[in-house]
Amino acid sequence: MTTVSNRPAPAPLSQLVYRFGDGSAEGQGDMRELLGGKGAGLAEMSDLGIPVPPGFTITTEVCNEFYRLGRRYPEGLETQVRDGIAYVEQLVGTRFGDPENPLLVSVRSGARVSMPGMMDTILNLGLNDTTVEGLARRSGSVRFAYDSYRRFIQMYGDVVLGVSRRSETDGDPFEELLTAKKRAHSAALDTGLDGDALRELVREYKALVRERTGADFPSDPWDQLWGAIGAVFTSWENPRAVVYRDMHGYPADWGTAVNVQAMVFGNLGDDCATGVLFTRHPSTGERRLFGEFLNNAQGEDVVAGTRTPQPILERSRKPDDLPSLEGAMPVVFLELERACDTLEQHFRDMQDIEFTIQQSKLWILQTRSGKRSGQAMVKIAVDMVDEGLVEQTDALMRIDAAQLEELLHPVFETSGKRDVIATGLAASPGAAVGRVVFTPADAVDWAKRGENVILVRDETSPEDIEGMKEARAILTARGGMTSHAAVVARGMGKCCVTGCSALEVDYARRRFTVASGDGEPIIVSEGDVLSIDGTRGEVIRGELPLAEAVFPPEYDRLMTWVDAHRRMKVRANADTPEDAERARDFGAEGIGLCRTEHMFFGPDRILAVREMILSQSEEERRKALAKILPMQREDFTGILQAMAGFPVTIRLLDPPLHEFLPQTIEDVAELARALGMRVADVERRLESLREFNPMLGHRGVRLAITYPEIYEVQVQAIIEAACDLADMGIDVEPEIMIPLVGMALELERLRDLVERTVERVFEARGRRLSYTVGTMIELPRACVVADRIAEHADFFSFGTNDLTQTTFGLSRDDAGRFLPTYLRERVMEHDPFVRLDRDGVGELVRIGIERGRRTKPQLKVGICGEHGGDPSSVMFCDELGFDYVSCSPYRVPIARVAAAQATLAERR
Amino acid sequence: MTTVSNRPAPAPLSQLVYRFGDGSAEGQGDMRELLGGKGAGLAEMSDLGIPVPPGFTITTEVCNEFYRLGRRYPEGLETQVRDGIAYVEQLVGTRFGDPENPLLVSVRSGARVSMPGMMDTILNLGLNDTTVEGLARRSGSVRFAYDSYRRFIQMYGDVVLGVSRRSETDGDPFEELLTAKKRAHSAALDTGLDGDALRELVREYKALVRERTGADFPSDPWDQLWGAIGAVFTSWENPRAVVYRDMHGYPADWGTAVNVQAMVFGNLGDDCATGVLFTRHPSTGERRLFGEFLNNAQGEDVVAGTRTPQPILERSRKPDDLPSLEGAMPVVFLELERACDTLEQHFRDMQDIEFTIQQSKLWILQTRSGKRSGQAMVKIAVDMVDEGLVEQTDALMRIDAAQLEELLHPVFETSGKRDVIATGLAASPGAAVGRVVFTPADAVDWAKRGENVILVRDETSPEDIEGMKEARAILTARGGMTSHAAVVARGMGKCCVTGCSALEVDYARRRFTVASGDGEPIIVSEGDVLSIDGTRGEVIRGELPLAEAVFPPEYDRLMTWVDAHRRMKVRANADTPEDAERARDFGAEGIGLCRTEHMFFGPDRILAVREMILSQSEEERRKALAKILPMQREDFTGILQAMAGFPVTIRLLDPPLHEFLPQTIEDVAELARALGMRVADVERRLESLREFNPMLGHRGVRLAITYPEIYEVQVQAIIEAACDLADMGIDVEPEIMIPLVGMALELERLRDLVERTVERVFEARGRRLSYTVGTMIELPRACVVADRIAEHADFFSFGTNDLTQTTFGLSRDDAGRFLPTYLRERVMEHDPFVRLDRDGVGELVRIGIERGRRTKPQLKVGICGEHGGDPSSVMFCDELGFDYVSCSPYRVPIARVAAAQATLAERR
C-alpha cells in the first residue's frame, strides 16, 4: 500500500474552494489538476453561461494537505465552505437547513480521472426530520420526500458511517429492513410503500444507525456535510483505489477534489419540470431539438414511462399530445434553446442533455455527445461542416467507422420487444426474420417455395454454400468470429450469429433446445419463426419488425472527403464477379484476396476436384486438372473483368484437400463410380487423407511442393484469362499469391514454377502482359525470415487470420470453448480474431514488414485477414506502413473511413 | 552469369606447377588458395614422407591467367608440365607413352572447396592402342587392360570431347554401344564381356567419337593430357559451377587447380597388391592395424568380394587364411605400418587408409578419418588422450554425440542380410525382432504368453500406453518425429519407426500391405516376424541377428571429462519414478519436464479423469478431482523422491481434454454407468468436446482459466507431496510449470492461484518450503511478449515441439504427408522436429530469451522439447545462453556431450 506521509509541506494554501454557477465560475475547464475532472467540467459549463446547479469544488490540494496534517482540514477551509454554501443558497433561493424551503446538496469525489474504489456520490444531503417535512410540503408528496430521506440515510449510513454487512454471508442491513417493510405491506416494489410506510422505515434506519454506531444519525446539515467531505478524502486511500492507482501508475499526490452542488427538483409545483433532449434528431440527424419532458416531475418519472411525456417543440406536438415545452413555458424554452446552441457550438457535436426546471428556473444537469444512428451520424457530420461548426477533418475523425455498418444492413426497429432466447457471437451484422431449417438442402427447397429461412447448424462447411446463399440468416452453435459461417456470411453481407453454445442441435428431430432459467428448456423446431440480430449476436423468438438499410444523401459527399484524406488503398476480398462488382460499388480499389478454392464447390466442379484429390499419380492428377482448367479460366476471366483497371490478387489453392471430400455415402458412391473404384477403396483413401490438425496440415504452398501441377494449372488459367481480356483491350493486373509460405525456398521454387508456366502461356499466345508474384505472410516463421522471403516476392499480404491462430496457438474454430471466458474474465480485452492483437500478432507483423522492406524497400504490403475491415486494426496497419487493406465488400466503406482517420491521426 | 573478363593483369607468373611425391613436395598443406584443396592435401601427405603416387598441381593462378588470355595457357606452362611428367616417370619407373611399361595418369580438378558442376576425374590417361597392349602384358589380363581403355575413352569422350546424348530422350551413346555389346554376348553384367569383346567395343567407341567429332580419338598421350587440362579449366565456368559459386558467394577469381597424378596398379604381378585398413579396430577401438588386402589385384577386387582377402597382421591370421601382408611382404609392411603411424600422429585420429603395392613399392592412395562404432569411438578417444596424442578437449570435440546412442540400444549385426520392405522415420533408435500384432490389447496378451511383439498401428494414442510398454518395437503408418508414438517410444528407450506411409493397415483382417516394386503387394499378417531398425527407420521381413548394447569401460572416464567441461546443466523429461531413476543413472541433474497427464491413463484413474471432464459444474468437477488428488499426490511423492536433491519441473495438465475420452462403446457405457447418465447423453456430451484442431484448442493454461480447480488440485497434490518428503528430511525442489501461456495476464492469474493454493497447504501443514513458478514458452506470442510474461515467471522452459508446430504452422502428426517431399527436394535441410530450426524457431527463441532477461536478467531458461536431446540443437541452446536442456532419459549422455562441446567451441 502506498503511503502519503513524507510529502513536503507546501506553501500555505489560500483559495481552497472554487465556486461555480449562475453563468460564471472561479475555475476553468483546463484546471483538472486542481479541481479534478468533474470540477473542471462544471466550471467549464458555468463559464459558458450554462445554468448548472450552483456549487463549489474543494481542491485536490486540500486533499494532500488533509493527509499531510494527519487527516485534519487546513485552516480556512471551514470559512470558505460556509461561504460556498451561502453562495449556493443565494443563487438557488433556498437555505441549508431551512424547515420550509431547504437547500439540499450532492457531494461527489472528483480526481483527475475517474477512479473505482473511491466514494462516488451522496445525494439529498441536508435532509433531516424537519427539512423533510418542508420538502414534502413543497413537492406535495410525502412519499417523495421520505423516499429521498431514506435513500439519503442509507447511502450516508453505508459510505460515511460504515454501517454495512458484517460478513460475506450477511445481507445488507438497510436492504434487509426495506425488504421486511415491503413484505409487511405486501408490496412487490419499492413504489408499493406509501409515505407513512417510508416514514416508519426512516425511523428503523435511524435506529439501526444508532445500534451500530452508538450515536444518532446526524441531523445537523453542517455535520452531515463535513462527514461527507471527510469520507471523500478518506476514500482516496481506500485499498481498491490504491490498487487501481498502482496498476495505472497514478501518483498518490494527485489527490481528489470534492464537489458540493445544489440539488434541484422538477417536482416542486406546476412551475417545475424535468426532461431530456438531443440537439439534433438521433435517428435522422435532422437539425432540431428532439426530446421530451414531464411537468412537475422528477427524472425517474421520465424513465419509468408511467406518465405520458410531452414534446419539447410545438411543431413536434401531435393533436392528442399534452402541451409542448415551447408552448407551456416559452421563456424557459428560449433559455433552453440558447443553452443547447451554446453547448453544441462549444463541444462542436450533437448533445444529449438532461435538464430540470425548478420554480421556472432552468438548470442543465448534464450534457454529453449524443448517441445516434449510422444515418444520423453521416448527416450530422456533413451538416456541421456545411454550417461551419467543424472542419472537414474533425468531422471525419468523429465518424465511428464501425457504425457505418448500420447503413449497409437492415436493423430491427428499436420499438420491438425482444424475447432473446440465446446469445452468441455477433459474427456478421444485420437483422433477419425467418423460419428455422436445419439442412442446407432444406434451405434451398424452402427458399424456392418463397419462404424466408434461417439456417441453423452446429457449424457450416464449404459444402453448405448453396444453402447459406438462400438463407436470410445463419445461426451456428459453434465457431468463432472467423469460423467458416462467419467469414462466408460477412462476405455475403448476410446476418450471422456463431458460437451460440447454449444451442443443442438435434438434427434427427429437426429441432434445437436452449436451457432456460426456469429449468424447462426452450425447444425450437423446424418451421418456427426466429429473429436474428447479427449486430448484437442475439437469437430472438418470434418476428421483430425490420427497418431496411438506407444510405442518407450526405453519404457520398462524406466518402469523397474520406478518400481525399487517406493514404492507404482499400481493396476487397471477393471470389466471384458479383462480389467484385459489389466491392467496386462500395469503393474498393482492387481485390486483395480472391480465394480460388471457393470456386470449386459448384455442383458441376466438385466431382472433378475430388477426382484430382484422390489421384495417386501425377498423370491421373493432370487428367482431372485438365477438366478443371477451363472452369478456372472462366472464373478468372469474370473476376478480372469485373475489376478491370485495378489489381486482383489471386491466391492459389490453400485449404487442406480433404475439405473438398464427400461427407455423405451417396457422394462417396458417386465418386467411386466416376473413378471406377470400389466404394471401400475410396473410403480407405479418404481415411488416409484425414488430418488431426488440418489447420496445420497439408495445405497452401505445401500442396504445390508435393503436387506442383495443381498450381501450374491454376497459373495457366489465370494468365490465359488475362491474355483473353488483354486481347479485348481490357486492362488487367493479375497478382499471383502463394499461400502459407514459411521458408524462402518454398517461394523461390514456386515463383520459378509460376514464371515458367506464364512464359509458356505467353509463347503460346504470342503476347505478354505484366503480372506480379507475391506471398501471404501468415506464419510466425514467415515474419521472422521475411528478409529472405522478400527476395522472391513482389508483395506481401498479411493473412492475419492464420497468423493470429498460429501466434496464439489458437484455432478459430475451437476457441468458442474458452474465448468467452477469457473475455468475460478480462484476460483478453478483445477477441483477437476481430481486433488485431497489437502486442503479439502485431509485433510479428511489424517484424515481418521491417525485415521484408530491409531487403526490398519498395515492397508492396497489404493485409487480407478479417482484420482489414476492423477500424482499430486498420489504424494499426496505417501505423505500420501498409500500402493497402483488404476486407469483405460490405466493410469497404468502414475501412475507407478508418484509413482516412489513420492518416489524419498521424498528421496531427 | 558471372564473367571473368575484367580482371586486372597480374604480375607475370613464375612457378606454374608444384610437384609432390617421394616423401616431399614443393607445396604445403596451407596453400589451399594456390593449389586448391586437393592439391594442398596431396602436398601435405607428401611432406609427411607418405608415399603418395607422385604428380603435380597446376595452380589456380594459371586458371585465372587462362581466362585473362582468352582461354590460352600462359607462357612456360608447357615446359613445366613436361618437367612434371618427367618427374613422375622417374619416381614410378614407367614412361608416358611407353609401349611396354606405360605411365598412366589421372587428371582432376581441385578448387579451394569441392564444387559440383566442374569436371571431376579422368582416369587411365595415357592409354592408346599401343600402350594398352603393354598394360595387358604387364597385368596379365587383356580384359583388365581393355576395360580400362574403354572406360578411359568413354570418360574422355564425354567430358573432354563432348560426345554425349543429343537430347533429353536420347540415351548415352557409349552406354548404348555397351548395352548392345552385352546383348550380343548374352552378358548380364559388364564382367561378362571378355577381352576380345572389349577390344571390339573400343573400336566401336572410337568410331563413335570419329562420327560425332569428325576427328579421331587422340592417341598421343600428350594430346590427351592437354585436352584434359583444358577441360578442367573450362569447367570452372560451367553453368552449374557458376550457379553454385553465386549461391555460396564464392568469387570467380578463386579459379581451380589441376592435379595430374600417376596411376598405380596392384595387379601387375605377384609383387603387387592392394588393400584397405583402419589404424585401430573400428568396432572395438583396439589399437592395432585392422584390414585386408589382395595379392596381385586391383581395388575393385577387394570390394567385389570375389576373392578371399588376406589379413594385414600375422597375429590376425587364422589357420586357414592365406598369408598375411606382414608375413608375405615384411619390408613393405613395415613401411605401411610407419605410414599409418605418421598419418595417425599427424591427423591425430584413427585413419581409414587405401593402399596399393606396385612392384614392391608402397603407395598410399587415400587416408581419411575412419568410421567407427560408438564403442570404438569412446575407447579411441580415451586411449588417444592417455597416449598423449590429443588433448582431453580435442578428444571431446571429436566425439559424435549422436553416435553415443549406439551404446544405449541394441543394434542389428552388420552381417545380417536385410529384406527391407518399407522405410519410415527413424523415430526412436535401436533394433528389435518380434511378431506383428495390431492392437495394444493383443500386445499385452501375447507378451504375457512370452512372445516378443511388434505393435503396428496407423498411429498411437495415450490409451495405447500399456500395449506400447509390452511391445519390443512400435511401427506406425502415420505421424512424425514428435508424434505420440515417437515421443513415448523415445521416453521408454524403445525402438520405433513412424510415418511409414507405404503401410496400409487393415485392422479388420489383422494385416498390413506394402506395395512392392513388381506390382504384387507384400502382405504381413498378425504373427509374422519382422525386424525393426529404429536407427535407420527400416522395416525388415524376417529375423535379423541382434547385438546387445554394451558400455565400454572407458565410458565413465570420458563422461567425467565431459561434465567437467560443460556450462549447461542436463535434465531429463520423465513422468514416473522409474524414468527418473533411469535418468539419474544416465547423469541427469533434475527433471525438466514431468508431464502430469501421462499419469492419468492407468486403468484405476482414467474413469475419475473422465468423470471430471464430463462434469458440467464446478461442484461435479471438484467431486471427481477429489478422487484424483490422492493419486496425484502419490505420483509426485514418487518422482520428487527419485530426484531428491535436484529440481523437478512439474507441468500442470496440458493436453486437450478429449484425449482422455473413451474411444470404444464399452468404455462409453462404463462411463455412463459411473456418471449415472444415459449412453446417448454421454455421447452427445463427448461430441460437443470434439475439436477441429486440438493442438490449437482447449488445452494448457486455457483449461485452468476456464476450470481453475483442476490446477488447484494438482498444485495441492504437488505441495502436499513435497511437504511429506520434507518432513522425512528429503530434499525436494518442486518447480511448478504452467503450459501454453501466450499472455502475461494468464500467468499472472495462474501464479496467483498457485500461490494461494500453496499458502493454504503450508498453513494446513504448519511448514513451508521453497518452490518456484514458471512457464512453458511454446507459442510465438509468448516469445514476443516474453518481457511481460517474465514479470510473473521464475523460469522459462522452451517447449520447442509446440513452438515448432506453431511457428511453421505445421502439425507434427500430419507432416508425414509432405515433410518427406520437403526433405527429398531439399526445400528443408532437416526435419525441424528433430533439429531446431535456427532461422525461424530459433529466432523466436532468441527473441524470447532476450526479452525475458531484459525484465529479469537472472531468469532461469531451459528447453524441454524433443530438441533437448539433439546435439546440434543443444549447441544452439548454449549459444543462446540456456541454463539447462532437458531430454528423454536415454538422450541424457548425448546432451551432456553436446553441452560440453558447446562450451568448448565457445571458448575457442
Side-chain angles (χ1 to χ4, degrees), chain A residues 741-744 747 775 777 782 785-793 796:
Chain A
V741 163
M743 288 163 272
L747 189 58
T775 181
I777 300 287
V785 303
D787 45 345
R788 291 185 223 173
I789 291 177
E791 288 172 18
H792 313 287
F796 278 1

Side-chain angles (χ1 to χ4, degrees), chain A residues 459 478 504-506 616 684 687-699 701-702 705-706 740 743 745-746 749 779-782 784-785 788 805-811 813-814 817-818 821-822 825-828 837 839-841 843-844 846-847 851, chain B residues 459 478 504-506 684 687-699 701-702 705-706 740 742-743 745-746 749 779-782 784-785 788 805-811 813-814 817-818 821-822 825-828 837 839-841 843-844 846-847 851:
Chain A
E459 69 257 15
R478 303 206 197 130
E504 284 212 16
V505 179
D506 185 342
Q616 286 199 311
R684 213 178 11 260
E687 173 58 18
S688 79
L689 287 171
R690 191 171 64 81
E691 292 188 308
F692 295 97
N693 296 287
M695 199 57 76
L696 308 177
H698 194 192
R699 46 177 294 227
V701 68
R702 295 163 192 169
I705 294 286
T706 47
L740 213 75
M743 288 163 272
L745 258 176
E746 288 173 322
R749 298 278 172 97
L779 295 173
R781 194 178 194 282
V784 295
V785 303
R788 291 185 223 173
Q805 293 195 90
T806 45
T807 302
F808 275 92
L810 187 65
S811 155
D813 293 317
D814 301 310
R817 203 85 52 73
F818 49 91
T821 309
Y822 268 68
E825 306 264 330
R826 306 290 294 259
V827 182
M828 279 177 171
D837 157 52
D839 295 340
V841 180
E843 172 68 3
L844 282 169
R846 197 191 58 68
I847 289 173
R851 295 186 180 183
Chain B
E459 70 259 14
R478 304 207 196 130
E504 285 212 17
V505 179
D506 185 341
R684 214 179 8 260
E687 173 58 18
S688 78
L689 287 172
R690 190 172 63 81
E691 292 188 307
F692 295 97
N693 297 286
M695 199 57 76
L696 308 177
H698 194 191
R699 45 176 295 227
V701 67
R702 295 162 192 168
I705 294 285
T706 47
L740 214 73
M743 288 163 272
L745 259 176
E746 289 173 320
R749 298 279 171 97
L779 295 173
R781 194 177 194 281
V784 296
V785 302
R788 292 186 221 172
Q805 293 195 91
T806 45
T807 303
F808 275 93
L810 188 65
S811 155
D813 293 316
D814 302 310
R817 205 84 52 71
F818 48 93
T821 309
Y822 268 69
E825 306 265 330
R826 304 291 294 257
V827 181
M828 279 178 172
D837 157 52
D839 295 339
V841 180
E843 172 68 4
L844 281 170
R846 198 191 56 71
I847 289 173
R851 296 186 180 184

Side-chain angles (χ1 to χ4, degrees), chain B residues 11-325:
Chain B
L13 305 173
S14 49
Q15 185 164 7
L16 310 176
V17 160
Y18 285 72
R19 304 172 191 173
F20 56 82
D22 196 27
S24 72
E26 293 179 353
Q28 281 172 350
D30 58 4
M31 294 168 73
R32 295 176 72 90
E33 297 187 13
L34 188 65
L35 304 181
K38 210 172 283 162
L42 287 164
E44 184 173 17
M45 288 243 279
S46 290
D47 260 347
L48 288 172
I50 301 298
V52 298
F56 54 87
T57 304
I58 306 174
T59 69
T60 57
E61 287 177 352
V62 174
C63 178
N64 284 337
E65 194 66 4
F66 174 77
Y67 280 103
R68 208 182 59 82
L69 298 173
R71 309 206 173 203
R72 283 183 304 111
Y73 299 118
E75 213 175 315
L77 182 66
E78 195 173 335
T79 315
Q80 292 190 27
V81 167
R82 282 203 177 270
D83 290 353
I85 290 288
Y87 165 79
V88 174
E89 286 173 338
Q90 177 215 326
L91 286 179
V92 183
T94 55
R95 285 211 34 231
F96 207 40
D98 185 332
E100 277 312 310
N101 197 11
L103 168 66
L104 305 185
V105 297
S106 64
V107 178
R108 293 181 170 91
S109 68
R112 287 190 208 177
V113 294
S114 154
M115 202 174 290
M118 290 176 58
M119 200 198 87
D120 186 24
T121 303
I122 289 180
L123 298 177
N124 295 321
L125 189 143
L127 280 176
N128 56 28
D129 293 352
T130 316
T131 56
V132 71
E133 294 296 338
L135 184 64
R137 280 190 294 276
R138 282 258 156 189
S139 65
S141 167
V142 175
R143 194 200 168 283
F144 164 72
Y146 274 92
D147 191 46
S148 303
Y149 193 18
R150 75 100 188 153
R151 285 172 194 271
F152 166 57
I153 298 173
Q154 184 165 352
M155 214 180 276
Y156 195 96
D158 175 18
V159 174
V160 181
L161 304 178
V163 176
S164 57
R165 64 187 62 190
R166 295 184 210 241
S167 75
E168 297 245 333
T169 51
D170 246 26
D172 177 281
F174 291 109
E175 285 297 323
E176 280 179 351
L177 289 174
L178 175 62
T179 307
K181 185 63 63 191
K182 284 195 285 190
R183 205 177 303 118
H185 287 77
S186 306
L189 301 172
D190 293 8
T191 46
L193 295 176
D194 63 12
D196 287 342
L198 287 165
R199 195 181 270 129
E200 283 167 31
L201 188 60
V202 162
R203 263 200 298 276
E204 291 167 16
Y205 272 14
K206 287 165 75 175
L208 170 70
V209 168
R210 197 177 313 114
E211 179 206 324
R212 287 287 188 91
T213 66
D216 282 337
F217 186 85
S219 62
D220 181 343
W222 288 104
D223 291 345
Q224 293 173 356
L225 179 59
W226 285 108
I229 291 170
V232 170
F233 285 145
T234 305
S235 73
W236 176 248
E237 292 290 342
N238 265 357
R240 268 189 67 206
V242 172
V243 166
Y244 187 86
R245 284 208 304 270
D246 285 354
M247 265 173 57
H248 290 79
Y250 299 155
D253 66 2
W254 275 6
T256 181
V258 182
N259 296 293
V260 179
Q261 190 178 18
M263 302 284 301
V264 294
F265 297 95
N267 59 343
L268 301 187
D270 279 342
D271 54 354
C272 300
T274 190
V276 294
L277 63 76
F278 292 91
T279 56
R280 303 191 185 215
H281 197 293
S283 298
T284 64
E286 197 191 339
R287 191 182 181 189
R288 62 178 170 92
L289 298 187
F290 176 84
E292 49 199 29
F293 79 103
L294 283 174
N295 199 241
N296 194 16
Q298 53 172 335
E300 282 163 42
D301 300 329
V302 182
V303 180
T306 42
R307 284 170 53 187
T308 306
Q310 301 163 246
I312 302 287
L313 296 185
E314 187 58 29
R315 64 183 146 132
S316 304
R317 188 169 162 248
K318 289 181 211 111
D320 294 343
D321 277 357
L322 291 169
S324 71
L325 186 69

Side-chain angles (χ1 to χ4, degrees), chain B residues 575-754:
Chain B
D575 309 338
T576 63
E578 301 76 57
D579 284 351
E581 272 155 29
R582 183 176 305 119
R584 283 192 89 130
D585 289 346
F586 282 131
E589 300 155 298
I591 291 178
L593 177 63
C594 169
R595 305 174 194 86
T596 52
E597 57 270 19
H598 284 191
M599 302 168 175
F600 283 165
F601 286 104
D604 51 330
R605 304 175 168 203
I606 190 73
L607 194 63
V609 174
R610 287 174 180 163
E611 282 178 48
M612 175 191 78
I613 296 170
L614 289 203
S615 300
Q616 286 198 311
S617 70
E618 186 182 328
E619 192 191 337
E620 274 177 53
R621 208 154 29 240
R622 284 200 183 272
K623 233 171 70 189
L625 282 165
K627 296 184 198 169
I628 294 170
L629 173 64
M631 305 173 184
Q632 282 261 290
R633 188 169 44 222
E634 197 184 324
D635 294 329
F636 296 135
T637 305
I639 204 149
L640 286 167
Q641 185 159 22
M643 258 305 155
F646 287 118
V648 175
T649 306
I650 298 169
R651 179 177 74 184
L652 302 184
L653 198 65
D654 179 39
L657 290 178
H658 67 67
E659 272 199 12
F660 297 103
L661 294 180
Q663 307 290 336
T664 66
I665 182 66
E666 291 79 13
D667 286 346
V668 172
E670 188 189 351
L671 184 56
R673 260 196 310 281
L675 291 168
M677 285 173 67
R678 287 184 314 163
V679 168
D681 290 336
V682 170
E683 281 189 327
R684 214 179 8 260
R685 230 188 269 178
L686 291 176
E687 173 58 18
S688 78
L689 287 172
R690 190 172 63 81
E691 292 188 307
F692 295 97
N693 297 286
M695 199 57 76
L696 308 177
H698 194 191
R699 45 176 295 227
V701 67
R702 295 162 192 168
L703 289 173
I705 294 285
T706 47
Y707 311 129
E709 52 280 4
I710 298 179
Y711 278 17
E712 200 182 307
V713 166
Q714 288 198 298
V715 170
Q716 184 182 344
I718 292 167
I719 299 298
E720 286 180 353
C723 286
D724 285 346
L725 292 169
D727 286 347
M728 294 189 281
I730 293 167
D731 183 13
V732 291
E733 294 184 40
E735 303 184 325
I736 296 171
M737 180 155 77
I738 315 288
L740 214 73
V741 163
M743 288 163 272
L745 259 176
E746 289 173 320
L747 189 58
E748 185 178 349
R749 298 279 171 97
L750 269 298
R751 183 178 188 115
D752 183 57
L753 177 87
V754 169

Side-chain angles (χ1 to χ4, degrees), chain A residues 421-422 432-444 446 452-461 464 467-478 485 494-514 522-533 538-541:
Chain A
I421 58 170
V433 176
R435 294 186 184 282
V436 169
V437 295
F438 290 94
T439 71
D442 285 343
V444 172
W446 288 47
N452 293 337
V453 299
I454 310 287
L455 178 60
V456 181
R457 303 285 293 166
D458 265 337
E459 69 257 15
T460 65
S461 74
D464 303 344
M468 295 172 79
K469 272 191 198 156
E470 296 303 329
R472 289 295 164 124
I474 294 145
L475 169 62
T476 70
R478 303 206 197 130
K494 192 179 297 274
C495 160
C496 176
V497 173
T498 59
C500 192
S501 52
L503 260 57
E504 284 212 16
V505 179
D506 185 342
Y507 289 121
R509 295 205 263 178
R510 294 178 177 250
R511 66 184 211 180
F512 69 80
T513 52
V514 180
I522 298 163
I523 296 174
V524 175
S525 300
E526 187 178 77
D528 288 356
V529 172
L530 284 186
S531 298
I532 303 289
D533 187 332
E538 291 176 350
V539 181
I540 300 140
R541 199 145 48 161

